[in-house]
Amino acid sequence: MDSLLDAAKPATQPAVEIPATQPGGAALVNQNAPTDARPATITLSNGQTVKGNAATTTDKPVRVWDPTIKDYRDIPFSLIASATAKVVWERDEKEWQFKESGSDVKVYSGKTYPARETQYTFTLINGDQITGDVAAPIYMDTGKATRTFVLHKRDKGEPGQTLKDLVYVKQIDFDTK
């Protein structure tokens, strides 16, 4: 598998920020999405699916912390057939604040926020699987808009939100034909 990983070429172009004065300003887009992106379907934890052309940061593999070897594994984007999230834990966390500025005494605010930790299993086009922690952007061009999804190890919502409100990427399936 290492020879397969070493031989792969990056499949994406850089994300650039469009000035806020431009139409659709301040959105991240992939300049060469039609030629470098791969057809994919993203399924979110709320059941929504998004189809289009997916890409990631140019010249950057998807970096996964592999606990079995206690090191990072760099997976070229072009070699990923699918990615599946597994929830390690999820819960409502209490929001704590410092009693006073400069104080080390914390008090409970009475509010909670949702928190979740996930791991992703990446299935490569040759069938091998790598599971671990990841933080990577996925840019999805649907033809109408470009959306950015982030594969997170840990997500944290805002006070007052619920775990249902904290939507995450549950599955990515690439068209490997």
Side-chain angles (χ1 to χ4, degrees), residues 11-168:
T12 60
Q13 290 297 315
V16 294
E17 191 155 338
I18 299 172
T21 57
Q22 301 268 336
L28 290 176
V29 296
N30 188 332
Q31 286 183 330
N32 296 324
T35 57
D36 293 339
R38 300 173 54 207
T41 301
I42 292 179
T43 304
L44 303 175
S45 60
N46 64 3
Q48 179 185 1
T49 59
V50 180
K51 294 182 182 203
N53 291 314
T56 192
T57 308
T58 191
D59 295 332
K60 297 288 182 189
V62 175
R63 179 163 267 202
V64 180
W65 173 258
D66 187 342
T68 61
I69 62 171
K70 295 186 169 99
D71 201 2
Y72 288 99
R73 303 278 303 268
D74 289 339
I75 308 170
F77 190 70
S78 61
L79 297 183
I80 300 172
S82 67
T84 305
K86 173 188 167 205
V87 175
V88 177
W89 58 260
E90 60 184 358
R91 60 183 172 248
D92 284 323
E93 299 270 348
K94 291 181 176 181
E95 180 186 54
W96 294 88
Q97 300 171 340
F98 289 104
K99 187 174 182 177
E100 298 172 355
S101 179
S103 171
D104 59 353
V105 177
K106 289 185 175 182
V107 293
Y108 175 50
S109 71
K111 299 177 184 175
T112 62
Y113 60 88
R116 176 184 298 118
E117 185 173 313
T118 54
Q119 278 192 336
Y120 283 85
T121 298
F122 294 89
T123 302
L124 307 182
I125 57 175
N126 68 356
D128 288 348
Q129 291 187 331
I130 300 170
T131 299
D133 302 333
V134 65
I138 304 294
Y139 307 108
M140 182 66 97
D141 181 1
T142 64
K144 295 179 181 177
T146 299
R147 294 180 61 184
T148 302
F149 298 94
V150 181
L151 307 182
H152 285 288
K153 172 186 176 181
R154 185 151 185 197
D155 282 322
K156 175 183 171 183
E158 296 295 323
Q161 285 186 317
T162 66
L163 285 165
K164 277 186 144 183
D165 298 329
L166 193 58
V167 177
Y168 64 97

